[in-house]
């Protein structure tokens, strides 16, 4: 990889969105509520084109037994597993309300259980949830059915239950194998435990195993992270998600327990990112995009080669650009040209459902400019290029005129070797992938109008 200069580092050491959506979730408004969401569901039910496309489902399980200090997810720390039984009853109500508005039996090609810790649920709880979903939706053969797994909460026997329930993809939260880093973030899990679980997953026939890593955690150094990279290369998961730690203690209370002086400097984070890219590419992985790697045979790498890569609220995806039904507290979904988010607290979530209402409390109806810019940003994030002529034809615009100020801003990035501008389009360079969020930000109308970016994680 081309070396990142200190000048580039200083320029891009700024906050910016991860673009799992555009517009980003901070732009959602409370004026968008249940009635707007029901309208979007009804329009989907009446629209032959939308109904022909499979759905994606996301289910949020908020419970965790212990607190990880780095976590910015919506979670509830408890050892009382009976709380999950109550939650599952309300999830069932929410699912029933969805099918009342958009019909029973819609085809689903992608399911993701996230959290929190989905494996906080008991085996019986997981069986109950999956039975409810299968009663309400039709799961397509060959779809992607994944669940996030905390290695501390499962055994090989529990993994066998997940396989029995139809899950074919697992994502293990590892973050870092270094013992000192694990102590600093309050998440102790020996490497041997993860290796044994991944081996069991393969024996059970799971199609894909993902490992999550985080760089920029307290007590991490480029040298200590090199050791973790070597262990992960030995583990050889099918996919690797590598995230930059976003230290936002003003927004996320658990992060206040992290000692800020133990956090690595921005230059050390760039070194970790650069070495990670080199280490995984040397190990035979394909660099899929901003935070994802995959073995060449994995569906994600195949989608990248074939230009079929997409991005949603869970990151990169192989599934078509489809509607996403989100279930559970704080879950974010997308139906038609709308985004919606459920209530963030259990009390408010339960209260809406007790009233027979879907628990949507905010969202956004996208206008035409939002849709055009979303197409540009997702093309940059997923394919690493935007071609002018297809955009002109798809959106009936003159790209060069419509985005004249943005193309002018990109001129300086061409001089820095981050993008190339031609008569055909914009292309991200290999070094530009370090800063792809910064490149995408040029096309973000909301950010260009509002320079208050403190709500976002830093790009580096």
């Amino acid at each position: 990889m081309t070396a990142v200069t200190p000048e580039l580092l200083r320029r891009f050491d700024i906050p910016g969105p991860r673009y799992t959506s555009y517009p980003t979730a901070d732009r959602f408004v409370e004026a968008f509520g249940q009635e707007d969401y029901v309208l979007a569901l009804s329009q989907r039910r009446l629209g032959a084109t939308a109904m022909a496309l499979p759905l994606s489902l996301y289910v949020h399980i908020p419970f965790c037994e212990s607190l990880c200090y780095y976590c910015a997810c919506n979670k509830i720390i408890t050892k009382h597993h009976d709380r999950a039984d109550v939650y599952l009853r309300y999830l069932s109500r929410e699912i029933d309300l969805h099918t009342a508005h958009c019909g029973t039996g819609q085809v689903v090609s992608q399911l993701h259980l996230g959290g929190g810790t989905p494996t906080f649920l008991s085996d019986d709880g997981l069986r109950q949830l999956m039975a409810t979903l299968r009663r309400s939706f039709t799961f397509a053969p060959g779809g992607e059915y994944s669940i996030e797994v905390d290695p501390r909460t499962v055994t090989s026997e529990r993994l066998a239950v997940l396989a029995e329930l139809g899950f074919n993809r697992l994502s293990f939260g590892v973050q870092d194998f270094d013992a000192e880093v694990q102590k600093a973030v309050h998440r102790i899990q020996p490497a041997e435990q993860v290796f044994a679980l991944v081996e069991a997953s393969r024996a059970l026939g799971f199609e894909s195993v993902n490992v999550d890593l985080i760089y920029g955690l307290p007590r991490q150094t480029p040298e200590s992270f090199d050791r973790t990279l070597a262990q992960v290369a030995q583990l050889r998961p099918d996919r690797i998600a590598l995230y930059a730690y976003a230290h936002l203690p003003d927004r996320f209370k658990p992060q206040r327990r992290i000692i800020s002086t133990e956090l690595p400097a921005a230059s050390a984070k760039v070194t970790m990112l650069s070495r990670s890219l080199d280490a995984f590419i040397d190990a035979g992985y394909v660099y899929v995009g901003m935070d994802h790697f995959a073995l060449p045979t994995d569906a994600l790498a195949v989608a990248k080669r074939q230009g079929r890569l997409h991005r949603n609220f869970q990151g990169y995806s192989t599934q078509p650009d489809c509607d996403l039904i989100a279930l559970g507290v704080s879950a974010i979904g997308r139906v038609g040209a709308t985004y919606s988010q459920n209530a963030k607290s259990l009390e408010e979530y339960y209260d809406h459902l007790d009233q027979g209402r879907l628990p949507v409390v905010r969202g956004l109806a996208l206008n035409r400019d939002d849709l055009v810019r979303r197409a540009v940003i997702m093309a940059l994030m997923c394919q690493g290029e935007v071609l002018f002529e297809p955009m002109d034809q798809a959106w009936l615009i003159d790209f060069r005129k419509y985005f004249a100020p943005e193309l002018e801003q990109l001129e300086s990035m061409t001089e820095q070797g981050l993008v190339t501008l031609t008569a055909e389009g914009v292309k991200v360079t290999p070094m530009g992938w370090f800063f792809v969020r910064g490149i995408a930000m040029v096309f973000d109308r909301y950010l260009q109008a509002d320079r208050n970016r403190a709500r976002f994680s830093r790009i580096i």
Side-chain angles (χ1 to χ4, degrees), residues 221-259:
T221 66
E223 293 71 28
S224 73
F225 203 58
D226 282 346
R227 293 190 289 273
T228 288
L229 295 176
Q231 287 173 288
V232 172
Q234 181 186 353
L235 185 65
R236 205 161 180 77
D238 302 279
R239 298 179 185 178
I240 301 166
L242 176 68
Y243 300 110
Y245 169 61
H247 190 58
L248 302 168
D250 290 340
R251 285 182 58 194
F252 305 113
K253 190 175 179 181
Q255 295 184 356
R256 296 172 196 172
R257 303 192 186 196
I258 286 177
I259 301 171

Side-chain angles (χ1 to χ4, degrees), residues 64 66-71 116-117 149-152 172-176 178-179 181-190:
C64 297
S66 68
L67 179 66
C68 302
Y69 296 164
Y70 57 80
C71 186
T117 304
V149 176
D150 181 340
R152 301 169 298 175
F172 290 104
V174 171
Q175 325 316 347
D176 195 318
D178 186 89
V181 175
Q182 290 184 1
K183 288 178 187 175
V185 299
H186 197 239
R187 187 185 176 104
I188 308 298
Q189 50 187 39

Side-chain angles (χ1 to χ4, degrees), residues 316-329:
Y316 285 109
S317 168
T318 64
Q319 297 303 299
D321 203 18
C322 62
D323 288 341
L324 167 66
I325 299 281
L327 304 164
V329 63

Side-chain angles (χ1 to χ4, degrees), residues 414-432:
T414 64
E415 297 167 7
Q416 294 159 336
L418 304 182
V419 297
T420 57
L421 287 175
T422 67
E424 288 74 36
V426 180
K427 188 174 180 64
V428 178
T429 67
M431 187 171 68

